[in-house]
Amino acid sequence: METQTRAYTTQMDAARKGIVTPQIQTVAEKEKMPVDKLMQLVAEGKVAICANRLHTCLDPEGVGSMLRTKVNVNLGVSRDCKDYNIEMQKVMSAVKLGAESIMDLSSHGDTQPFRRKLTHECPAMIGTVPVYDSVIHYQRDLATLTARDFIDVIRLHAEDGVDFVTLHCGITRKTIDQIKKHKRKMNIVSRGGSLVFAWMSMTGEENPFYEYFDEILDICEEYDVTISLGDACRPGCLADATDVCQIEELVRMGELTKRAWAHNVQVMVEGPGHVPLDQVAANMEVQKSICMGAPFYVLGPLVTDIAPGYDHITAAIGGAVAAMSGAAFLCYVTPAEHLALPNVDDVRQGIIASKIAAHAADIAKGIPGARDIDDRMADARRNLDWDEQFACALDADTAKAIRDSRKPEEDHSDTCSMCGKFCAVRSMNKALAGEYIDIL
């Protein structure tokens, strides 16, 4: 393993050199894809295997539109909700429910111990947003930080073992004029993007993540950290979707993607956001063209603005269409979106909604084996095999709890309390077996 580590820097570098890393081998097996085909996709940048060389407990995953759609879970403490034990409960719940990635978005307290705990104990990909952590790490107001301060925090996160970092590299001084000129309804809703915008506005300097991008690439290549190009100008409402600010930033992300690939650094590109349903597929096509097939990582998209408390559903609708149309990575949205820091149950609901969207998209895309579990479920339902149905369910605990709370009577215990002996499946099974069908 040590010899292999010296032979390449990143998974992309290894793929370009024809080296089959343990991570590439694992992902190929998971995706039922020939190793040589996966290596070509990684070499071209169309698949990212986010795998910091220091995250030794990682169970690697590939992110790409031709692979299974992956789901990311955001968590982390805030000034108002700062119990790291609860955050670890969320992490354990997320992994159990099949989330492939955890992003620590903590914005309060001593963040490093929690971040290191994640990269030492959690098998999922770990992502962070270093610009959040900069203010916390230095305990200084935003305007007093320097470009060097921001870059040093990126290195700190790389040293801590995070697999990918969201960096808002695509906004520049020009963006300030655009935002003022075009008068968006929601301006910038990206937390990291707003911090970079505020820093540029207060200091008069260029975006450090853009200006010092080559130095950042050196850090990412050293540790094999994937860059997730954050969409600072993602639309925060339907009215701002697919506007000049969003598209102009995307063009710059395409340029930065090329520069990263030339450095053997893997890239994901982040996308909207709030988008009307009829614009979702078009947004995916534009990204694929401008960013040359780099994996697209979308927040939702949310297809209406009026569902606080139910935005996990809003996002699942958009997420299914997005993934079917080329998005590779869905960032979950919880019922607490726009309202509060999600609690453990919010996290569970958000994950399930996104997993449903991802799975539905994988079936539509024809991902090998994606529908196998659905076919198993159909067999289990035909056989009225409840234990097998629960085994096939995305959330077996909830399914079982609902059935147990409203159990059928003993003389039709093989059915449910909805139809009882009127159950179509029971009637058909008996009819086809030549049996008498009792209803009363």
Side-chain angles (χ1 to χ4, degrees), residues 1-20:
M1 185 69 175
E2 189 64 30
T3 303
Q4 280 191 323
T5 303
R6 293 197 197 99
Y8 62 89
T9 53
T10 67
Q11 298 297 317
M12 175 177 272
D13 183 40
R16 288 172 171 176
K17 290 175 176 176
I19 299 171
V20 181

CSV table of all heavy atoms in Angstrom, one decimal, residues 1-20:
chain,number,residue,atom,x,y,z
A,1,MET,N,0.8,-1.2,0.0
A,1,MET,CA,0.0,0.0,0.0
A,1,MET,C,0.9,1.3,0.0
A,1,MET,O,0.6,2.2,-0.7
A,1,MET,CB,-0.9,0.0,1.2
A,1,MET,CG,-1.9,1.1,1.3
A,1,MET,SD,-3.2,0.9,0.0
A,1,MET,CE,-4.2,2.3,0.4
A,2,GLU,N,1.9,1.3,0.8
A,2,GLU,CA,2.8,2.4,0.9
A,2,GLU,C,3.5,2.7,-0.5
A,2,GLU,O,3.6,3.8,-0.9
A,2,GLU,CB,3.9,2.2,2.0
A,2,GLU,CG,4.7,3.4,2.3
A,2,GLU,CD,3.9,4.5,2.9
A,2,GLU,OE1,2.9,4.2,3.5
A,2,GLU,OE2,4.3,5.7,2.7
A,3,THR,N,3.9,1.6,-1.2
A,3,THR,CA,4.5,1.7,-2.5
A,3,THR,C,3.5,2.4,-3.4
A,3,THR,O,3.9,3.3,-4.2
A,3,THR,CB,5.0,0.4,-3.0
A,3,THR,OG1,5.9,-0.2,-2.0
A,3,THR,CG2,5.7,0.5,-4.3
A,4,GLN,N,2.3,1.9,-3.4
A,4,GLN,CA,1.2,2.4,-4.3
A,4,GLN,C,1.0,3.9,-4.0
A,4,GLN,O,0.8,4.7,-4.9
A,4,GLN,CB,-0.1,1.7,-4.1
A,4,GLN,CG,-0.1,0.3,-4.9
A,4,GLN,CD,-1.5,-0.2,-4.9
A,4,GLN,OE1,-2.2,-0.1,-3.9
A,4,GLN,NE2,-1.9,-0.8,-6.0
A,5,THR,N,1.0,4.3,-2.7
A,5,THR,CA,0.8,5.6,-2.3
A,5,THR,C,1.8,6.6,-3.0
A,5,THR,O,1.5,7.6,-3.4
A,5,THR,CB,0.8,5.8,-0.8
A,5,THR,OG1,-0.2,4.9,-0.2
A,5,THR,CG2,0.5,7.2,-0.4
A,6,ARG,N,3.0,6.1,-3.0
A,6,ARG,CA,4.1,6.9,-3.6
A,6,ARG,C,4.0,7.0,-5.1
A,6,ARG,O,4.5,7.9,-5.7
A,6,ARG,CB,5.5,6.4,-3.2
A,6,ARG,CG,5.8,6.5,-1.8
A,6,ARG,CD,7.4,6.2,-1.6
A,6,ARG,NE,7.7,5.9,-0.2
A,6,ARG,CZ,7.9,4.7,0.2
A,6,ARG,NH1,7.8,3.7,-0.6
A,6,ARG,NH2,8.2,4.5,1.5
A,7,ALA,N,3.3,6.0,-5.7
A,7,ALA,CA,3.2,6.0,-7.2
A,7,ALA,C,2.2,6.9,-7.8
A,7,ALA,O,2.2,7.1,-9.0
A,7,ALA,CB,2.9,4.5,-7.6
A,8,TYR,N,1.3,7.5,-7.0
A,8,TYR,CA,0.3,8.4,-7.5
A,8,TYR,C,-0.1,9.4,-6.4
A,8,TYR,O,0.2,9.1,-5.2
A,8,TYR,CB,-0.9,7.7,-8.0
A,8,TYR,CG,-1.7,6.9,-6.9
A,8,TYR,CD1,-2.7,7.5,-6.2
A,8,TYR,CD2,-1.3,5.5,-6.7
A,8,TYR,CE1,-3.3,6.7,-5.2
A,8,TYR,CE2,-2.0,4.8,-5.7
A,8,TYR,CZ,-3.0,5.4,-4.9
A,8,TYR,OH,-3.7,4.7,-4.0
A,9,THR,N,-0.6,10.5,-6.8
A,9,THR,CA,-1.1,11.5,-5.8
A,9,THR,C,-2.6,11.4,-5.5
A,9,THR,O,-3.0,11.3,-4.4
A,9,THR,CB,-0.8,12.9,-6.3
A,9,THR,OG1,-1.3,13.1,-7.7
A,9,THR,CG2,0.7,13.2,-6.4
A,10,THR,N,-3.4,11.4,-6.6
A,10,THR,CA,-4.8,11.4,-6.4
A,10,THR,C,-5.4,10.1,-7.2
A,10,THR,O,-4.7,9.5,-8.0
A,10,THR,CB,-5.5,12.6,-7.0
A,10,THR,OG1,-5.3,12.6,-8.4
A,10,THR,CG2,-4.9,13.9,-6.4
A,11,GLN,N,-6.7,9.9,-6.9
A,11,GLN,CA,-7.4,8.8,-7.7
A,11,GLN,C,-7.3,9.1,-9.2
A,11,GLN,O,-7.2,8.1,-10.0
A,11,GLN,CB,-8.8,8.6,-7.2
A,11,GLN,CG,-8.9,8.2,-5.7
A,11,GLN,CD,-8.3,6.9,-5.4
A,11,GLN,OE1,-8.5,5.9,-6.1
A,11,GLN,NE2,-7.6,6.8,-4.3
A,12,MET,N,-7.5,10.3,-9.5
A,12,MET,CA,-7.4,10.7,-10.9
A,12,MET,C,-6.0,10.4,-11.5
A,12,MET,O,-5.9,9.9,-12.6
A,12,MET,CB,-7.8,12.2,-11.1
A,12,MET,CG,-7.6,12.7,-12.5
A,12,MET,SD,-8.1,14.4,-12.8
A,12,MET,CE,-9.9,14.2,-13.1
A,13,ASP,N,-5.0,10.8,-10.8
A,13,ASP,CA,-3.6,10.5,-11.2
A,13,ASP,C,-3.4,9.0,-11.4
A,13,ASP,O,-2.8,8.6,-12.4
A,13,ASP,CB,-2.6,11.1,-10.2
A,13,ASP,CG,-1.2,11.0,-10.6
A,13,ASP,OD1,-0.9,11.2,-11.8
A,13,ASP,OD2,-0.3,10.7,-9.7
A,14,ALA,N,-3.9,8.2,-10.4
A,14,ALA,CA,-3.7,6.8,-10.5
A,14,ALA,C,-4.4,6.2,-11.7
A,14,ALA,O,-3.8,5.4,-12.5
A,14,ALA,CB,-4.3,6.1,-9.2
A,15,ALA,N,-5.6,6.7,-12.0
A,15,ALA,CA,-6.4,6.2,-13.1
A,15,ALA,C,-5.7,6.5,-14.4
A,15,ALA,O,-5.6,5.7,-15.4
A,15,ALA,CB,-7.8,6.8,-13.1
A,16,ARG,N,-5.1,7.7,-14.5
A,16,ARG,CA,-4.4,8.2,-15.7
A,16,ARG,C,-3.1,7.4,-15.9
A,16,ARG,O,-2.6,7.2,-17.0
A,16,ARG,CB,-4.1,9.7,-15.6
A,16,ARG,CG,-5.3,10.5,-15.8
A,16,ARG,CD,-5.1,12.0,-15.5
A,16,ARG,NE,-6.2,12.8,-15.9
A,16,ARG,CZ,-6.3,14.1,-15.7
A,16,ARG,NH1,-5.4,14.8,-15.1
A,16,ARG,NH2,-7.4,14.7,-16.1
A,17,LYS,N,-2.5,6.9,-14.8
A,17,LYS,CA,-1.3,6.0,-14.9
A,17,LYS,C,-1.6,4.6,-15.0
A,17,LYS,O,-0.7,3.7,-15.1
A,17,LYS,CB,-0.4,6.3,-13.6
A,17,LYS,CG,0.2,7.7,-13.6
A,17,LYS,CD,0.9,7.9,-12.3
A,17,LYS,CE,1.6,9.3,-12.3
A,17,LYS,NZ,2.3,9.6,-11.0
A,18,GLY,N,-2.9,4.2,-15.0
A,18,GLY,CA,-3.2,2.8,-15.1
A,18,GLY,C,-3.1,2.0,-13.8
A,18,GLY,O,-3.0,0.8,-13.9
A,19,ILE,N,-3.0,2.7,-12.7
A,19,ILE,CA,-2.9,2.0,-11.4
A,19,ILE,C,-4.3,1.8,-10.8
A,19,ILE,O,-5.1,2.7,-10.6
A,19,ILE,CB,-2.1,2.9,-10.4
A,19,ILE,CG1,-0.7,3.1,-11.0
A,19,ILE,CG2,-2.0,2.2,-9.0
A,19,ILE,CD1,0.1,4.1,-10.2
A,20,VAL,N,-4.6,0.5,-10.5
A,20,VAL,CA,-5.8,0.1,-9.9
A,20,VAL,C,-5.7,0.3,-8.4
A,20,VAL,O,-5.1,-0.6,-7.7
A,20,VAL,CB,-6.3,-1.3,-10.2
A,20,VAL,CG1,-7.6,-1.6,-9.6
A,20,VAL,CG2,-6.4,-1.5,-11.7
